[in-house]
Amino acid sequence: MSLPHAILTALLEKPSSGLELTRRFDKSIGYFWSATHQQIYRELGRLEEAGLIRALPSEVPVRGQKKEYEVLPAGGEELARWVGESQDPKAIRDPLLLRIRAAGVVGPQGLAGELRRHLELHRRQLATYEAIEDKDFPPGRNSEEDRLRRLVLHGGIGLETFWLRWLEEALTEVEDMARGTKGDAATPDGA
């Protein structure tokens, strides 16, 4: 996903100021696409310059007053074009995975503590997602928009569930190594 498309999505959901967009990114879109306040403001300027959004007219023009933006038809067309575009998955770039690989060379000293810390972070994130699902998607909310938003949330829940399972496996392996015990690795012939 690109930041301009994330902003167009958010503005089509609800016209907003840059500050409101930043807050909305922190609460929802930011779970899968983050952006700083400065990045959002910079992109708003580009989108406005490109004719994809516009600042809503203010009843009382005051210097320094926050601008509220809405998406123009060209912005909606761009977002619809982008939704249907083909894009390959992105490779995972996670420092923890690289650190585990490096531990294969230098040893896993200190790695168990970091794995436990990551486990706790992912447990908290999963709890957050589950709370969002309980609060925002009660039974009967089945509009197309709700179903698609829930689908994104279920992706996050699935990813957190994966990380928890994998981190528990990794922690067991690292703790076994520290105790000098062998894991349950299959023999080379697959038996």
Side-chain angles (χ1 to χ4, degrees):
M1 177 191 273
S2 67
L3 182 56
H5 297 103
I7 290 173
L8 288 171
T9 299
L11 289 176
L12 277 169
E13 291 173 341
K14 179 184 175 203
S16 303
S17 68
L19 181 58
E20 291 165 338
L21 279 173
T22 300
R23 289 180 182 147
R24 288 174 60 204
F25 266 69
D26 289 344
K27 290 181 182 176
S28 62
I29 292 173
Y31 287 119
F32 56 91
W33 191 262
S34 61
T36 66
H37 190 74
Q38 294 82 7
Q39 289 171 317
I40 289 171
Y41 273 96
R42 204 169 29 249
E43 200 57 52
L44 283 169
R46 290 181 187 135
L47 290 168
E48 189 173 27
E49 199 174 284
L52 302 178
I53 65 170
R54 74 175 180 124
L56 291 169
S58 175
E59 293 179 17
V60 182
V62 178
R63 184 175 171 88
Q65 180 179 350
K66 65 180 182 179
K67 290 183 190 177
E68 192 167 85
Y69 295 91
E70 71 175 353
V71 177
L72 295 171
E77 291 167 10
E78 167 55 22
L79 190 59
R81 181 204 62 74
W82 180 77
V83 165
E85 187 177 83
S86 176
Q87 186 173 18
D88 293 337
K90 298 278 185 206
I92 295 176
R93 289 182 54 157
D94 190 304
L96 181 61
L97 297 174
L98 184 57
R99 290 166 66 189
I100 292 171
R101 178 73 184 252
V105 178
V106 297
Q109 305 85 334
L111 192 55
E114 184 65 355
L115 291 170
R116 282 188 207 94
R117 190 178 77 81
H118 276 255
L119 257 170
E120 183 54 34
L121 292 171
H122 285 283
R123 282 185 185 121
R124 279 192 244 148
Q125 191 62 55
L126 179 59
T128 298
Y129 287 161
E130 289 170 339
I132 290 170
E133 183 170 36
D134 291 343
K135 177 182 164 271
D136 293 347
F137 298 104
R141 279 194 68 175
N142 282 325
S143 70
E144 188 174 281
E145 185 177 354
D146 286 333
R147 289 170 62 192
L148 292 170
R149 285 182 180 165
R150 187 181 299 121
L151 190 60
V152 172
L153 182 59
H154 283 179
I157 289 170
L159 286 171
E160 293 306 322
T161 302
F162 159 78
W163 280 112
L164 288 173
R165 266 194 322 264
W166 182 83
L167 284 162
E168 287 166 356
E169 176 188 353
L171 184 57
T172 298
E173 287 289 331
V174 169
E175 288 174 338
D176 284 351
M177 289 175 213
R179 286 190 296 270
T181 58
K182 294 184 180 182
D184 293 338
T187 58
D189 63 357

